[in-house]
Amino acid sequence: MIKPYLYVEKTKGKGRGVFTKERIPAGTRIETSPVLVLSYDDTEIVDKTKLHNYIFLWGVRETRSCIALGLCSIYNHSYDPNCIYEMDFEEETMSIITRREIKKGEELQINYNGDPSDSAPVWFDVRKK
C-alpha cells in the first residue's frame, strides 16, 4: 500500500526524494511495502555496489539487510525527519509513518539510523535544507 498522493521528484544535491501532493496528518501510515531479505553473505556483496545506498539493516541482530520495494528506498535522510520507518520482520514489510503533519509539496524524510533522534554520522555528507 502506497498512498496515491505520494510522488518522486529530483531534489537538489540529493538525487530523488518522496513528496506529497496533499497535507498529511501526523501518525499516518503512508506506505507499507514488501522487502527482499538478503543473507549476511549477500549483504557483504551488495555493500560493495551502488545498491549499498538503498538497503536497510534487517533482523533483530541486524546481521542481514533488505531491499525495500515501493518507495521506501527513495526517502532521503534527515536528522530531524518528518517520518519514521517501521519494520515487520515476520511479515517482511517496511512501513513509513508520519511523525508530524506534513504540508502539501513537502519532502518526506526518514533518519537512516532508524531512531529519529539518532544523530550518529551516516556514510555520506548530510546536506542541510
Side-chain angles (χ1 to χ4, degrees), residues 43 56 78 92 97 99:
T43 298
F56 293 85
S78 172
E92 295 188 344
I97 303 158
R99 294 179 65 212

Side-chain angles (χ1 to χ4, degrees), residues 32-85:
T32 299
S33 293
V35 301
L36 301 174
V37 179
L38 303 176
S39 68
Y40 176 85
D41 290 339
D42 286 343
T43 298
E44 282 195 329
I45 293 167
V46 168
D47 265 340
K48 297 174 185 162
T49 72
K50 189 175 183 173
L51 287 175
H52 166 79
N53 294 320
Y54 299 95
I55 62 173
F56 293 85
L57 293 177
W58 186 259
V60 175
R61 292 180 291 143
E62 297 183 336
T63 57
R64 297 174 289 160
S65 67
C66 74
I67 298 174
L69 303 177
L71 301 176
C72 290
S73 291
I74 306 296
Y75 293 83
N76 282 316
H77 168 77
S78 172
Y79 286 118
D80 184 24
N82 52 19
C83 296
I84 59 168
Y85 64 88

